[in-house]
Amino acid sequence: MTATSMTSMMTTSKTKKMSSTTKTTKMLTTNQLQILQHALGVDQYGRFPKGGQYRNFFCAGGADEAVCRELVALGYMVQHKRTEVYPYFNCSVT
């Protein structure tokens, strides 16, 4: 075996190893980002109102519920159980 073929095998092995551990990232939609911002109580620039953060909760209904379920599946939010007081899809940002 030549040094060139040995180097080629090592490079291929490293590439395969790296590609198996590389995660694919998915861009958030505008709607998903707006829901995360609203749940945290921040503006479109991520700034909190005067006085600091005041919430991390979202009660989703209608079309927002599907978007929140996507965010839960992506790991950006966690779901909380429905209650008598909050009978909607309840979630918070992770």
Side-chain angles (χ1 to χ4, degrees):
M1 182 175 289
T2 66
T4 305
S5 62
M6 183 72 140
T7 303
S8 177
M9 282 177 50
M10 288 171 58
T11 304
T12 304
S13 176
K14 285 180 184 176
T15 304
K16 285 181 183 175
K17 188 174 184 179
M18 286 173 52
S19 64
S20 67
T21 59
T22 304
K23 290 185 179 180
T24 320
T25 54
K26 180 182 172 190
M27 293 288 289
L28 293 175
T29 66
T30 301
N31 199 18
Q32 289 171 329
L33 182 58
Q34 288 172 343
I35 285 177
L36 290 172
Q37 290 167 334
H38 180 75
L40 292 172
V42 298
D43 65 13
Q44 73 260 26
Y45 304 107
R47 296 180 298 208
F48 294 110
K50 289 188 178 185
Q53 181 179 358
Y54 66 97
R55 69 172 175 249
N56 180 6
F57 198 76
F58 192 82
C59 294
D64 288 341
E65 183 174 340
V67 177
C68 287
R69 287 185 183 280
E70 291 171 5
L71 289 166
V72 168
L74 292 169
Y76 288 98
M77 297 187 103
V78 292
Q79 179 181 356
H80 305 285
K81 68 180 187 173
R82 296 173 192 252
T83 65
E84 217 173 285
V85 177
Y86 299 110
Y88 304 101
F89 185 85
N90 303 305
C91 50
S92 60
V93 180
T94 57

